[in-house]
Amino acid sequence: MASAAEQLASNLNFATFAKAEDLKKRLWFTLGALLVYRLGTHIPLPGLNPAAYAQAFQNQSGGILGLFNMFSGGAVQRMAIFALGIMPYISASIIVQLMTSVVPALENLKKEGEQGRKIINQYTRYGTVLLGALQAYGIAIGLEHGNGVVLDPGWFFRLSTVVTLLGGTMFLMWLGEQVTSRGIGNGISLIIFAGIAAGLPTALAGTLELGRTGALSTGLILAVLVVAVLVIGLIVFVERAQRRLLIQYPKRQVGTRMFQGDTSHLPLKLNTSGVIPAIFASSLLLLPATVAGLGNNTALPTWVTSIVAALGHGQPIYMVLYAALIAFFAFFYTALVFNPKDTADNLKKHGGFIPGIRPGERTAEYIDYVLTRITVIGAIYLVFVCILPEILVSQTGIPLSLGGTSLLIVVSVTLDTVAQIQGHLIAQQYEGLIKKSKLRGGKRGR
């Protein structure tokens, strides 16, 4: 079956795409939804002084606001109605995932299948509303403390800001779900992808301008581009890499006939945790700089300013802590999303076993052993991809806006979307083959 699918995938061409009407509708819907999102990132929040806010953001762009601005496609820099972006939904999803491993009631819901998944998704939406409202209120208070940023401070501004920003987040959550069900790819991931990709042309133009003026040498720019291509190739290779465990099923007898046992594979991704460790590590390390920037730097103790300076981009302590946090969250999140004991129990329930390993507890231990070993490789890969841009920026001074985290997101979302498009084309090919076989069967019958 797998070889037939691979053969069909190799035979896909533009003619197949031209006949896939449903796929084209899905693509147009996805593009339209992303266009709506991009338009919303340019609609400013009412009641602000644009010049004063631009100055305030410039002072805070090195902290966590810069990270959120990257994920929101510049909406934070413009303080648009989509400034909160989809981050409250992502945070709520991670919190609910953590709780499913701790709260027995949620863990039981997770095992109930589709109905349980719907209830958990509803809890995630409630969490998004709560987190979004808190973050929006915090933004309103922060804006009021800026020097002349808010034209008319007060409860009316706070309430309107919370309603506007929270409404923008809920709209993006709904839009992402619509893209997932009626479009192509994961809608939430594509919204983040669109936000990051929107800043690429400006960043590339700025780099080329620095080369034209002589601030950066042409050789250095070409070398960085070559390194970027090699890193993208590495990301593609590792994100598609799997460690497949052979699963065998015993022979079974149906009536008087004996059927040969089937064989299958349990795929374990080399990077099970995805991009989450990089996001967590970046957010934690940027918090001190953000908190320090909210106050008056002259009023801060000397030891606080020393810590903030040591945790700046390119500093040795920052590099070491960044790498350590990425490695920690890689193991933590992998343990959270993949439970070897549940996998072993499911294999035992369906009669499957790993050759040479006893079903049950020994199988769970073996899966955990293999998963730990490949997670080490995955953690090293994540550290390399995320630390390399930091080293390039600190050593060469080239302004790389596309860091390791954003590069991981862009490449991963692209791979997933292309895989879904290919899946639709293969389904179209199958339907065509089935129709041809029916026609041939009908002619022979006549």
Side-chain angles (χ1 to χ4, degrees):
M1 189 70 178
S3 60
E6 292 174 359
Q7 185 177 1
L8 279 174
S10 63
N11 293 332
L12 295 177
N13 49 38
F14 287 106
T16 307
F17 179 79
K19 297 177 182 177
E21 295 296 332
D22 180 65
L23 176 60
K24 287 191 286 187
K25 291 179 181 178
R26 287 177 173 271
L27 286 173
W28 281 115
F29 181 85
T30 303
L31 292 174
L34 295 180
L35 178 61
V36 171
Y37 161 65
R38 289 303 304 156
L39 290 174
T41 60
H42 288 80
I43 301 176
L45 193 71
L48 298 181
N49 182 344
Y53 176 75
Q55 182 62 37
F57 177 82
Q58 187 67 27
N59 297 333
Q60 294 290 325
S61 59
I64 200 170
L65 290 183
L67 181 67
F68 287 166
N69 185 59
M70 179 189 68
F71 288 144
S72 65
V76 175
Q77 183 177 0
R78 294 181 287 269
M79 193 44 66
I81 59 175
F82 289 162
L84 273 183
I86 207 70
M87 294 305 291
Y89 177 79
I90 295 175
S91 302
S93 300
I94 295 172
I95 292 173
V96 170
Q97 280 186 339
L98 289 170
M99 292 181 66
T100 53
S101 302
V102 178
V103 181
L106 290 177
E107 188 176 0
N108 293 332
L109 282 175
K110 187 178 179 181
K111 297 178 180 179
E112 288 182 5
E114 184 65 22
Q115 186 62 30
R117 187 181 65 83
K118 289 181 178 179
I119 297 175
I120 291 177
N121 286 343
Q122 195 64 27
Y123 289 156
T124 304
R125 295 188 185 100
Y126 295 150
T128 303
V129 173
L130 178 61
L131 289 177
L134 292 175
Q135 292 179 17
Y137 183 76
I139 289 175
I141 296 297
L143 291 173
E144 285 187 342
H145 281 80
N147 294 326
V149 173
V150 180
L151 299 176
D152 186 17
W155 278 105
F156 179 77
F157 172 77
R158 298 173 192 175
L159 181 61
S160 63
T161 299
V162 170
V163 171
T164 303
L165 293 181
L166 180 59
T169 295
M170 299 308 294
F171 175 78
L172 288 181
M173 183 183 69
W174 173 83
L175 190 66
E177 292 177 349
Q178 294 301 308
V179 171
T180 302
S181 60
R182 300 171 59 185
I184 287 291
N186 183 285
I188 303 299
S189 300
L190 282 172
I191 287 175
I192 298 175
F193 168 85
I196 296 173
L200 291 181
T202 303
L204 182 60
T207 303
L208 294 178
E209 179 63 21
L210 290 176
R212 188 186 67 82
T213 57
L216 295 174
S217 65
T218 304
L220 178 60
I221 295 176
L222 291 176
V224 170
L225 290 176
V226 171
V227 171
V229 172
L230 293 177
V231 171
I232 290 173
L234 173 66
I235 294 174
V236 172
F237 175 78
V238 175
E239 293 299 325
R240 294 172 65 92
Q242 294 178 347
R243 170 71 161 88
R244 296 186 176 184
L245 300 180
L246 180 64
I247 306 296
Q248 288 188 348
Y249 294 90
K251 296 180 180 180
R252 53 194 178 90
Q253 184 173 359
V254 179
T256 58
R257 298 185 61 184
M258 179 68 70
F259 290 88
Q260 184 67 29
D262 296 329
T263 60
S264 181
H265 291 90
L266 175 65
L268 300 176
K269 288 191 65 177
L270 204 61
N271 179 30
T272 307
S273 57
V275 75
I276 296 298
I279 295 177
F280 277 8
S282 300
S283 302
L284 286 178
L285 286 177
L286 290 174
L287 274 177
T290 304
V291 173
L294 291 176
N296 186 6
N297 289 335
T298 58
L300 294 174
T302 306
W303 64 271
V304 175
T305 56
S306 300
I307 291 176
V308 173
L311 293 179
H313 282 285
Q315 299 299 320
I317 296 179
Y318 174 86
M319 299 283 196
V320 173
L321 288 177
Y322 193 26
L325 286 172
I326 289 174
F328 168 76
F329 284 120
F331 282 94
F332 177 78
Y333 197 73
T334 298
L336 179 66
V337 299
F338 190 95
N339 191 332
K341 187 177 184 304
D342 290 345
T343 304
D345 291 342
N346 289 332
L347 287 175
K348 186 177 181 180
K349 186 185 301 183
H350 293 89
F353 63 94
I354 299 175
I357 307 295
R358 292 181 60 182
E361 186 176 349
R362 292 294 299 275
T363 298
E365 293 175 355
Y366 178 74
I367 294 174
D368 183 64
Y369 169 73
V370 174
L371 187 63
T372 302
R373 293 178 64 188
I374 64 176
T375 303
V376 171
I377 302 175
I380 294 173
Y381 145 78
L382 285 174
V383 169
F384 174 78
V385 171
C386 293
I387 290 294
L388 182 61
E390 299 287 342
I391 296 176
L392 289 176
V393 171
S394 61
Q395 297 298 322
T396 64
I398 188 169
L400 288 178
S401 61
L402 190 64
T405 305
S406 52
L407 193 62
L408 281 168
I409 294 174
V410 169
V411 177
S412 301
V413 173
T414 301
L415 288 175
D416 292 341
T417 306
V418 169
Q420 286 206 23
I421 292 175
Q422 191 177 44
H424 280 278
L425 291 177
I426 291 176
Q428 177 76 18
Q429 194 95 331
Y430 268 123
E431 291 177 1
L433 291 175
I434 292 174
K435 289 180 181 179
K436 288 182 180 179
S437 62
K438 287 183 178 180
L439 288 175
R440 289 173 184 173
K443 290 179 180 179
R444 289 175 183 174
R446 292 176 185 175

